[in-house]
Amino acid sequence: MHTVFPVEAGNFTKAGNVSSDVKRMLKQLGVPHKTVKRIVVALFEAEVNVIAHSWGGQVEITVDPKQVLVRVVDTGPGIPDLDLAMTEGFSTASEEVREMGYGAGMGLPNIRNNADELKIETGANSHTDIHMTFYIDEE
Amino acid sequence: MMKLSDIVKAIDGEVLCCEDQLDMEVRFGFSSDLMSDVLTLRDDDILLITGLANIQSIRTAELSDINAIVLVRNKVATDQMIDMAADAGIVLITTKYSMFKTSGLLYAAGLSPIY
C-alpha cells in the first residue's frame, strides 16, 4: 500500500496534520501500537522540519506486512552540514518555531533513534530526501 | 498508577475536556514546555504537565500517545485546543498552581518521574 500526503511550507497551524492522518491509517491497518508510535514520532519531527525549513514537500508511506517505509522529501535549502544537524542540540530553527515548543535541535537525532534504518540525501538549495524504514515489531 | 480524578483533586484543577475519562490512570508525570523533549519519551501512561497553551501541546500529546495534559498557571485553553483534545480523546485539565508546585504535589501523591 502506497499513500502520498502533501506538506505545505510555513503553515504551522497544520503542523502534525499529516502525522495524525498517518497514525489513523496505520492503526486501521493493524500495525502494532509500539511500531505506530515510533513511526508517528519520527514522521512528526520530519513534518515539522519540512514546514519550518523547506519550500514545500510531501510524505510517502508504503506499508507491507513486514515493514513500513516513510519517505519525506522536500524542495528547499537542504541541510548544509548533515553531521552537525544530527548532533543533539544543534538547531537553526526560528523564534516562531521555538515559541511553539519545537526547534531544540533534537528532531533528526530523534528520527534516528526511532527508525530502524535511516538514509538522508540532501543538496544545497535543492532538496532533502529522508528515507526511514520501520520493522513491524511483534507484540 | 494514579487516577486522573485524584490528580484533579490534588492540584485543585478544572477539567476542560473529556470529563468522562477521569477514571483513566497514569503512571508517570513529565513537566515540560519543550515539545521536542516530550517527543523523545518512549513510555506509556504519561501525564504531560505544561505551560505551553497552544495547539502544538495537544498535537504533540496526541502523536505521543499521551492521554492527559495539565495546563499550569491558569493558562487559557483556546476553543481550538479544546476541540482538538476532544477529537483525540485527551483529558485537558487546568490549574492555578505553577509547574513547580503542580509537579511537587503530584510527585508527593505518588506519580512517578520518567528519568
Side-chain angles (χ1 to χ4, degrees), chain A residues 17 20 23 101-102 113, chain B residues 35 42-43 59-60 62 65:
Chain A
N17 283 13
S20 184
K23 182 178 182 181
Y102 306 120
N113 290 341
Chain B
M35 296 302 109
R42 295 286 185 96
D43 300 273
R59 193 54 110 190
T60 302
E62 178 203 343
D65 289 332

Side-chain angles (χ1 to χ4, degrees), chain A residues 5-31:
Chain A
F5 304 82
V7 182
E8 210 178 310
N11 193 343
F12 291 107
T13 58
K14 288 190 180 171
N17 283 13
V18 169
S19 303
S20 184
D21 289 346
V22 169
K23 182 178 182 181
R24 204 168 306 124
M25 182 182 91
L26 295 174
K27 279 170 121 178
Q28 278 167 5
L29 289 171
V31 177

Side-chain angles (χ1 to χ4, degrees), chain A:
Chain A
M1 216 198 91
H2 183 78
T3 317
V4 177
F5 304 82
V7 182
E8 210 178 310
N11 193 343
F12 291 107
T13 58
K14 288 190 180 171
N17 283 13
V18 169
S19 303
S20 184
D21 289 346
V22 169
K23 182 178 182 181
R24 204 168 306 124
M25 182 182 91
L26 295 174
K27 279 170 121 178
Q28 278 167 5
L29 289 171
V31 177
H33 164 83
K34 280 186 180 161
T35 312
V36 171
K37 184 166 172 175
R38 289 194 294 124
I39 294 169
V40 167
V41 165
L43 172 58
F44 185 40
E45 298 277 15
E47 185 185 351
V48 170
N49 282 349
V50 172
I51 295 167
H53 300 293
S54 87
W55 309 326
Q58 66 180 32
V59 170
E60 299 172 27
I61 307 287
T62 311
V63 183
D64 72 37
K66 293 269 176 219
Q67 61 187 14
V68 177
L69 306 177
V70 177
R71 181 178 180 217
V72 182
V73 57
D74 68 51
T75 53
I79 305 170
D81 186 335
L82 198 51
D83 285 342
L84 197 55
M86 293 301 287
T87 310
E88 276 186 28
F90 176 78
S91 175
T92 59
S94 67
E95 198 52 40
E96 186 187 10
V97 174
R98 290 169 194 268
E99 275 170 14
M100 291 191 317
Y102 306 120
M106 293 158 77
L108 286 172
N110 202 23
I111 290 173
R112 182 179 52 202
N113 290 341
N114 279 286
D116 293 306
E117 292 174 33
L118 173 65
K119 200 177 89 188
I120 303 177
E121 238 177 64
T122 182
N125 287 317
S126 157
H127 70 284
T128 298
D129 193 347
I130 301 182
H131 291 257
M132 309 172 223
T133 305
F134 300 85
Y135 308 138
I136 293 180
D137 304 331
E138 298 296 330
E139 287 183 13

Side-chain angles (χ1 to χ4, degrees), chain B residues 11 49 70 72-73 95-107:
Chain B
I11 60 174
I49 300 160
V70 173
V72 296
R73 283 295 292 130
T95 176
K96 60 181 182 292
Y97 299 147
S98 67
M99 188 185 277
F100 180 74
K101 182 166 177 176
T102 303
S103 305
L105 287 170
L106 294 179
Y107 183 81

